[in-house]
Amino acid sequence: MRTLAVLLATLLFAAGLASQPLAARTLSYANFPPASTVPCVQMERWAEEVQKRTNGAITVKTYPGSTLLTARNMLRGVQTGQADIGCISMSYQPGAFPFSFALSQPVGFTSATTASVTLWKMFEKYKPQEFEAVKVVAMFTSAPSNLMSRVPVKTLDDMKGLEIRGAGNLSDVLARLGAVPVSMPMPETPEAVQKGVVKGLLTSFEVLKDMNFAEMCRYQTVMNLPVYPFAVIMNKRTWDSLPKDVQKVIDDLALEQAEWTGKYWDAHVQTALDWSKETYGIEVYDLSEADQSAMMQAVAPLIDAWKVEARTAGLDPEAILKDIETFKAEAEAAYGK
Ligand code: 3IO
């Protein structure tokens, strides 16, 4: 009787094993902003594609909204293996990503699609040292940054002395425009705006809807300022432990994921603006042509400051800027401006 039970248990166990591929493995993927935001939407898309393309050998368990790692401990958390995969906004660690920061200079990106594809191609070409401790599995950027504010900002002069949230390079942009920059990761920003610690924020417009900033910030100013670059990074030991065919699936997905995310992001900016007008009657201001060109002149010296930083890090800033121009022109020809 006892032998029979053991035999039965063994058979059931074996059947359980056979019902899934041998290499079946679950990877954790941490993200810092709320599930409704674009970085998390692209995370779900990546997870689904990897599951599909590995025929279920890899399952990705996603953790949006800082439920596994926060913006501030994402990089370390992935390096130490608290999560297999994590999404970082390079702007949150000024100084750590001199190569990536080239993309958030005022180099004239007009869409997330062109900037995301350019970022990925730049990464592939340069394999920058700043990502040596991790495996980069995807990259993308936000759409160009614009101002969302609790007070109307119709001219450059209206920016003077205004406390505005930005991160990394975008804080330097704010300083050049005479505003008072306040740096913090995105998840901390709603409370800062709500409490009046800042009067508004500088980032892409889709958060008006995805984080409901439109409720507090009724005044928008179109500025076409730089994008925020992101990277999706994997723990090195996790990467090394994956079968070659799984690694290939992940590598083959990267460019397509940059393109998918950029396109989704650009379309979603328009959706969010329409929704915010309908829901909260937000106002959207364009700067005068004179102010627009004065603004671009005011931020241009940031490129020179970045060149110094890049050279200190052993990079060749002239070559990097030239390649960005080339990839950007190619992307604009392929996807439109
Ligand atoms: C961003 C970050 C998290 C969620 C939505 C977002 N839209 C634009 C960004 C860019 C960014 O990293 C930031 O902090 O503004």
Side-chain angles (χ1 to χ4, degrees):
M1 200 58 204
R2 214 172 142 156
T3 336
L4 202 65
V6 171
L7 190 70
L8 202 65
T10 312
L11 277 174
L12 282 173
F13 181 70
L17 274 185
S19 68
Q20 55 187 155
L22 264 185
R25 173 116 184 250
T26 301
L27 302 179
S28 56
Y29 186 157
N31 216 331
F32 64 91
S36 55
T37 61
V38 187
C40 287
V41 173
Q42 75 76 39
M43 168 171 75
E44 296 303 333
R45 192 264 174 181
W46 189 89
E48 269 169 40
E49 289 301 321
V50 169
Q51 279 164 215
K52 232 176 12 203
R53 294 176 192 203
T54 60
N55 299 311
I58 300 293
T59 303
V60 182
K61 171 116 181 68
T62 57
Y63 296 86
S66 297
T67 46
L68 181 55
L69 292 170
T70 65
R72 291 180 193 276
N73 61 22
M74 187 67 66
L75 184 58
R76 261 194 78 75
V78 171
Q79 281 176 14
T80 58
Q82 285 175 274
D84 293 307
I85 308 163
C87 177
I88 57 170
S89 172
M90 278 77 106
S91 300
Y92 295 177
Q93 342 258 338
F97 298 101
F99 178 83
S100 302
F101 272 26
L103 276 290
S104 56
Q105 298 308 315
V107 291
F109 285 115
T110 55
S111 77
T113 310
T114 55
S116 296
V117 168
T118 300
L119 171 60
W120 176 253
K121 293 197 166 166
M122 288 295 293
F123 173 78
E124 284 233 285
K125 176 158 183 177
Y126 283 83
K127 296 279 174 354
Q129 210 207 315
E130 65 203 41
F131 290 106
E132 226 170 44
V134 293
K135 163 69 187 180
V136 177
V137 297
M139 286 185 135
F140 53 88
T141 77
S142 72
S145 295
N146 294 299
L147 184 68
M148 292 154 258
S149 176
R150 295 178 70 153
V151 295
V153 175
K154 299 184 187 181
T155 67
L156 260 194
D157 217 47
D158 293 340
M159 288 279 279
K160 302 277 184 281
L162 210 58
E163 294 90 354
I164 304 290
R165 176 270 171 190
N169 293 39
L170 275 298
S171 279
D172 301 336
V173 164
L174 285 165
R176 301 279 325 170
L177 299 180
V180 179
V182 183
S183 275
M184 69 188 78
M186 198 55 123
E188 297 169 19
T189 308
E191 193 180 322
V193 175
Q194 201 265 325
K195 288 189 170 158
V197 173
V198 294
K199 294 288 190 303
L201 66 154
L202 185 69
T203 188
S204 49
F205 273 147
E206 89 291 342
V207 291
L208 285 169
K209 177 172 193 281
D210 296 345
M211 294 179 73
N212 204 30
F213 278 111
E215 185 178 13
M216 294 186 285
C217 299
R218 300 290 170 96
Y219 306 101
Q220 327 307 334
T221 312
V222 177
M223 298 193 145
N224 300 309
L225 286 167
V227 301
Y228 284 85
F230 290 79
V232 181
I233 55 176
M234 186 185 282
N235 176 281
K236 263 261 169 86
R237 286 178 306 280
T238 300
W239 174 254
D240 290 338
S241 73
L242 294 175
K244 285 276 171 297
D245 56 340
V246 169
Q247 290 184 340
K248 182 166 167 29
V249 164
I250 290 173
D251 279 337
D252 288 351
L253 180 56
L255 176 61
E256 190 194 313
Q257 181 74 12
E259 191 186 306
W260 186 93
T261 305
K263 284 182 179 171
Y264 176 80
W265 207 315
D266 289 326
H268 200 57
V269 163
Q270 197 50 54
T271 305
L273 281 170
D274 293 344
W275 177 88
S276 304
K277 274 178 204 162
E278 258 168 50
T279 311
Y280 295 109
I282 58 152
E283 292 189 44
V284 182
Y285 307 121
D286 285 306
L287 291 175
S288 69
E289 255 175 59
D291 265 5
Q292 186 71 32
S293 71
M295 181 173 68
M296 287 312 167
Q297 251 180 319
V299 300
L302 288 173
I303 297 189
D304 296 318
W306 170 78
K307 284 182 188 173
V308 173
E309 194 192 327
R311 266 188 220 105
T312 308
L315 298 166
D316 179 350
E318 304 299 341
I320 289 172
L321 290 173
K322 191 160 165 282
D323 279 326
I324 288 179
E325 267 316 303
T326 307
F327 287 132
K328 175 165 154 285
E330 279 174 19
E332 283 172 356
Y335 308 106
K337 224 180 156 180

